[in-house]
Amino acid sequence: MGERNKRPVILLKVPSSDDFYGSALRSHNLDPIFIAPSHFVFKNLKQLQAKLQEPHRYAGIIFAAPRCVQAVNEALDKAPLPSCWRPLHNYALGKNTHSSAWFTLQNLPTLGDHAVNANNLCDLIVETFGPKRDLPLLMPCGNGVGQTLRLRLVAQGFRVDACEVYESRSHPEFVNQMRHALKFKRMETIVFFGPSSVRSALEFFESFKVSLKDRKMIAVGSGTRKAMEDAGIQADAVVDAADVDHLIKVIKS
């Protein structure tokens, strides 16, 4: 089937050279169009650096996304992570975050590589942490990233020191790329990745009076679905980030 006959699917995420979504969708006669909704800016790194130098004040560290690992690396400014973090209760949400912590932070061991969402990771922390919860868990996070996990942990009696170390801003090319997709009628199916994709898209839909009728809207992750709900955008389906087969099934249904 030729490229032009493939069904276009807008993926609101930053494209990467090894992106498994792209190859999986193409193998099912779909035409993935990656549009980066936002870019990230680090902040409060000096504050984070000071916290990282005091592992004795924490029970461990939680990474909710690979960018949280990157923020820690930036805050350390090429210095290694103090070795006293290694035996603590360290967690990473999902395979990518787990690998990122391992390769970026001198083989830092973390639990959570099989967790697919914040609820899974919270359950794992409850199971593996033990009853003593007097010291806080350090949680570097971004605006809109890690909120669900933090609230669930606090509800379970954990202390969480959430340090916002990056924020997302609308990508300068986002509007042009969305207008191009709209013009060529390539916007029947839109897949949202994270709250920042919802914010950028909502702004675009409102500015250009885009009707969402007859468009299929898919949320990747429960945090994305919640952001869509709050923005008044109806999600036709919710899929886990690691389950690309389910995503393809939903797109084709």
Side-chain angles (χ1 to χ4, degrees):
M1 190 184 278
E3 269 310 304
R4 67 181 56 194
N5 296 323
K6 290 188 172 187
R7 187 196 304 184
V9 179
I10 304 274
L11 300 171
L12 297 181
K13 76 187 293 287
V14 178
S16 62
S17 55
D18 60 346
D19 201 296
F20 65 91
Y21 287 99
S23 53
L25 266 63
R26 278 188 287 272
S27 72
H28 283 80
N29 289 324
L30 297 167
D31 177 20
I33 300 161
F34 289 91
I35 299 180
S38 55
H39 64 135
F40 293 89
V41 181
F42 289 115
K43 62 180 186 179
N44 300 329
L45 293 185
K46 283 268 176 257
Q47 206 180 318
L48 177 60
Q49 185 183 47
K51 292 172 190 284
L52 291 169
Q53 301 309 322
E54 299 184 305
H56 58 279
R57 291 186 52 211
Y58 293 95
I61 190 165
I62 303 173
F63 300 105
R67 206 168 301 277
C68 304
V69 178
Q70 203 181 332
V72 165
N73 198 39
E74 291 280 330
L76 291 167
D77 195 23
K78 299 190 177 71
L81 182 72
S83 61
C84 291
W85 284 100
R86 295 182 66 78
L88 301 183
H89 295 282
N90 302 316
Y91 299 93
L93 176 49
K95 198 165 287 183
N96 288 349
T97 311
H98 170 82
S99 299
S100 183
W102 179 262
F103 291 113
T104 310
L105 302 172
Q106 303 81 48
N107 307 138
L108 179 73
T110 57
L111 295 176
D113 56 324
H114 294 299
V116 293
N117 57 40
N119 292 336
N120 287 162
L121 188 60
C122 181
D123 292 343
L124 177 71
I125 294 171
V126 170
E127 281 167 29
T128 57
F129 196 87
K132 205 167 184 291
R133 298 178 183 178
D134 48 339
L135 288 176
L137 285 155
L138 177 60
M139 186 172 165
C141 54
N143 58 338
V145 173
Q147 183 75 339
T148 307
L149 179 59
R150 186 183 69 79
L151 292 173
R152 277 214 59 191
L153 286 169
V154 169
Q156 290 281 355
F158 288 93
R159 292 171 60 202
V160 181
D161 182 2
C163 180
E164 195 170 293
V165 288
Y166 67 89
E167 65 182 11
S168 61
R169 297 180 186 166
S170 271
H171 196 283
E173 282 303 305
F174 180 72
V175 168
N176 286 342
Q177 291 180 343
M178 288 289 275
R179 286 184 72 181
H180 185 268
L182 192 63
K183 183 181 175 185
F184 291 98
K185 297 185 170 52
R186 298 167 75 80
M187 219 185 259
E188 293 88 348
T189 305
I190 305 175
V191 186
F192 294 81
F193 290 80
S196 65
S197 69
V198 178
R199 285 192 293 272
S200 298
L202 183 65
E203 213 172 283
F204 174 80
F205 296 150
E206 288 176 346
S207 299
F208 293 92
K209 298 182 170 47
V210 178
S211 166
L212 303 185
K213 193 174 177 290
D214 300 327
R215 299 186 198 280
K216 186 176 281 186
M217 306 289 196
I218 301 168
V220 174
S222 54
T224 308
R225 183 201 57 76
K226 174 81 169 70
M228 289 173 74
E229 203 175 85
D230 293 347
I233 300 172
Q234 173 69 44
D236 295 298
V238 185
V239 301
D240 281 325
D243 197 348
V244 71
D245 292 335
H246 183 204
L247 176 61
I248 290 165
K249 198 173 172 183
V250 167
I251 292 168
K252 293 193 139 189
S253 65

PDB file of all heavy atoms in Angstrom, residues 20 45 65 112 148 150 162 178 206 217 225 234:
ATOM      1  N   PHE A  20       9.714   3.270  18.834  1.00  0.00           N
ATOM      2  CA  PHE A  20       9.038   2.024  18.453  1.00  0.00           C
ATOM      3  C   PHE A  20       7.608   2.272  17.992  1.00  0.00           C
ATOM      4  O   PHE A  20       7.036   1.451  17.287  1.00  0.00           O
ATOM      5  CB  PHE A  20       9.091   0.986  19.584  1.00  0.00           C
ATOM      6  CG  PHE A  20       8.344   1.346  20.837  1.00  0.00           C
ATOM      7  CD1 PHE A  20       7.022   0.972  20.999  1.00  0.00           C
ATOM      8  CD2 PHE A  20       8.977   2.038  21.862  1.00  0.00           C
ATOM      9  CE1 PHE A  20       6.328   1.279  22.159  1.00  0.00           C
ATOM     10  CE2 PHE A  20       8.280   2.351  23.029  1.00  0.00           C
ATOM     11  CZ  PHE A  20       6.957   1.983  23.177  1.00  0.00           C
ATOM     12  N   LEU A  45      17.810  23.806  39.557  1.00  0.00           N
ATOM     13  CA  LEU A  45      18.837  22.753  39.610  1.00  0.00           C
ATOM     14  C   LEU A  45      19.782  22.919  40.800  1.00  0.00           C
ATOM     15  O   LEU A  45      20.293  21.934  41.331  1.00  0.00           O
ATOM     16  CB  LEU A  45      19.622  22.709  38.292  1.00  0.00           C
ATOM     17  CG  LEU A  45      18.821  22.251  37.064  1.00  0.00           C
ATOM     18  CD1 LEU A  45      19.729  22.119  35.844  1.00  0.00           C
ATOM     19  CD2 LEU A  45      18.090  20.926  37.298  1.00  0.00           C
ATOM     20  N   ALA A  65      10.018   9.821  35.236  1.00  0.00           N
ATOM     21  CA  ALA A  65      10.211   9.860  33.782  1.00  0.00           C
ATOM     22  C   ALA A  65      11.699  10.019  33.488  1.00  0.00           C
ATOM     23  O   ALA A  65      12.452  10.499  34.346  1.00  0.00           O
ATOM     24  CB  ALA A  65       9.434  11.040  33.178  1.00  0.00           C
ATOM     25  N   GLY A 112      11.004  -0.929  39.544  1.00  0.00           N
ATOM     26  CA  GLY A 112       9.890  -0.290  38.841  1.00  0.00           C
ATOM     27  C   GLY A 112       9.934  -0.418  37.336  1.00  0.00           C
ATOM     28  O   GLY A 112       9.106   0.164  36.640  1.00  0.00           O
ATOM     29  N   THR A 148       0.208  12.460  40.016  1.00  0.00           N
ATOM     30  CA  THR A 148      -0.641  11.323  40.421  1.00  0.00           C
ATOM     31  C   THR A 148       0.099  10.443  41.426  1.00  0.00           C
ATOM     32  O   THR A 148      -0.453  10.045  42.453  1.00  0.00           O
ATOM     33  CB  THR A 148      -1.030  10.470  39.186  1.00  0.00           C
ATOM     34  OG1 THR A 148      -1.604  11.331  38.215  1.00  0.00           O
ATOM     35  CG2 THR A 148      -2.007   9.368  39.536  1.00  0.00           C
ATOM     36  N   ARG A 150       2.700  11.212  43.367  1.00  0.00           N
ATOM     37  CA  ARG A 150       2.943  11.916  44.642  1.00  0.00           C
ATOM     38  C   ARG A 150       1.689  11.864  45.524  1.00  0.00           C
ATOM     39  O   ARG A 150       1.766  11.533  46.710  1.00  0.00           O
ATOM     40  CB  ARG A 150       3.337  13.365  44.368  1.00  0.00           C
ATOM     41  CG  ARG A 150       3.735  14.132  45.625  1.00  0.00           C
ATOM     42  CD  ARG A 150       4.057  15.586  45.329  1.00  0.00           C
ATOM     43  NE  ARG A 150       2.869  16.339  44.961  1.00  0.00           N
ATOM     44  CZ  ARG A 150       1.971  16.799  45.829  1.00  0.00           C
ATOM     45  NH1 ARG A 150       2.120  16.573  47.131  1.00  0.00           N
ATOM     46  NH2 ARG A 150       0.925  17.477  45.417  1.00  0.00           N
ATOM     47  N   ALA A 162       8.809  16.630  46.749  1.00  0.00           N
ATOM     48  CA  ALA A 162       8.711  16.832  45.292  1.00  0.00           C
ATOM     49  C   ALA A 162       9.401  18.136  44.930  1.00  0.00           C
ATOM     50  O   ALA A 162       9.066  19.200  45.454  1.00  0.00           O
ATOM     51  CB  ALA A 162       7.242  16.861  44.875  1.00  0.00           C
ATOM     52  N   MET A 178       0.810  21.698  13.078  1.00  0.00           N
ATOM     53  CA  MET A 178      -0.600  21.332  13.244  1.00  0.00           C
ATOM     54  C   MET A 178      -1.453  21.935  12.127  1.00  0.00           C
ATOM     55  O   MET A 178      -2.355  21.284  11.598  1.00  0.00           O
ATOM     56  CB  MET A 178      -1.108  21.794  14.619  1.00  0.00           C
ATOM     57  CG  MET A 178      -0.556  20.990  15.789  1.00  0.00           C
ATOM     58  SD  MET A 178      -1.210  19.291  15.901  1.00  0.00           S
ATOM     59  CE  MET A 178      -2.727  19.557  16.821  1.00  0.00           C
ATOM     60  N   GLU A 206      -8.570  25.894  20.069  1.00  0.00           N
ATOM     61  CA  GLU A 206      -9.356  27.095  20.363  1.00  0.00           C
ATOM     62  C   GLU A 206      -8.983  28.259  19.449  1.00  0.00           C
ATOM     63  O   GLU A 206      -9.849  28.959  18.933  1.00  0.00           O
ATOM     64  CB  GLU A 206      -9.190  27.480  21.842  1.00  0.00           C
ATOM     65  CG  GLU A 206      -9.914  26.507  22.773  1.00  0.00           C
ATOM     66  CD  GLU A 206      -9.686  26.799  24.246  1.00  0.00           C
ATOM     67  OE1 GLU A 206      -8.757  27.585  24.579  1.00  0.00           O
ATOM     68  OE2 GLU A 206     -10.418  26.219  25.090  1.00  0.00           O
ATOM     69  N   MET A 217      -9.767  10.644  19.440  1.00  0.00           N
ATOM     70  CA  MET A 217      -8.800  11.189  20.399  1.00  0.00           C
ATOM     71  C   MET A 217      -8.364  10.081  21.360  1.00  0.00           C
ATOM     72  O   MET A 217      -9.202   9.513  22.083  1.00  0.00           O
ATOM     73  CB  MET A 217      -9.437  12.314  21.212  1.00  0.00           C
ATOM     74  CG  MET A 217     -10.045  13.411  20.360  1.00  0.00           C
ATOM     75  SD  MET A 217      -8.764  14.368  19.566  1.00  0.00           S
ATOM     76  CE  MET A 217      -9.693  15.788  19.082  1.00  0.00           C
ATOM     77  N   ARG A 225      -5.176  11.176  30.190  1.00  0.00           N
ATOM     78  CA  ARG A 225      -6.640  11.126  30.160  1.00  0.00           C
ATOM     79  C   ARG A 225      -7.238  12.155  31.121  1.00  0.00           C
ATOM     80  O   ARG A 225      -8.185  12.862  30.795  1.00  0.00           O
ATOM     81  CB  ARG A 225      -7.129   9.725  30.544  1.00  0.00           C
ATOM     82  CG  ARG A 225      -8.658   9.575  30.470  1.00  0.00           C
ATOM     83  CD  ARG A 225      -9.169   8.418  31.304  1.00  0.00           C
ATOM     84  NE  ARG A 225      -8.794   8.492  32.685  1.00  0.00           N
ATOM     85  CZ  ARG A 225      -9.352   9.306  33.582  1.00  0.00           C
ATOM     86  NH1 ARG A 225     -10.313  10.123  33.230  1.00  0.00           N
ATOM     87  NH2 ARG A 225      -8.930   9.315  34.830  1.00  0.00           N
ATOM     88  N   GLN A 234     -12.910  14.880  25.127  1.00  0.00           N
ATOM     89  CA  GLN A 234     -13.334  13.501  25.369  1.00  0.00           C
ATOM     90  C   GLN A 234     -12.317  12.516  24.786  1.00  0.00           C
ATOM     91  O   GLN A 234     -12.058  12.524  23.582  1.00  0.00           O
ATOM     92  CB  GLN A 234     -14.713  13.290  24.702  1.00  0.00           C
ATOM     93  CG  GLN A 234     -15.223  11.861  24.723  1.00  0.00           C
ATOM     94  CD  GLN A 234     -15.586  11.388  26.125  1.00  0.00           C
ATOM     95  OE1 GLN A 234     -16.218  12.087  26.894  1.00  0.00           O
ATOM     96  NE2 GLN A 234     -15.161  10.176  26.447  1.00  0.00           N
TER      97      GLN A 234
END
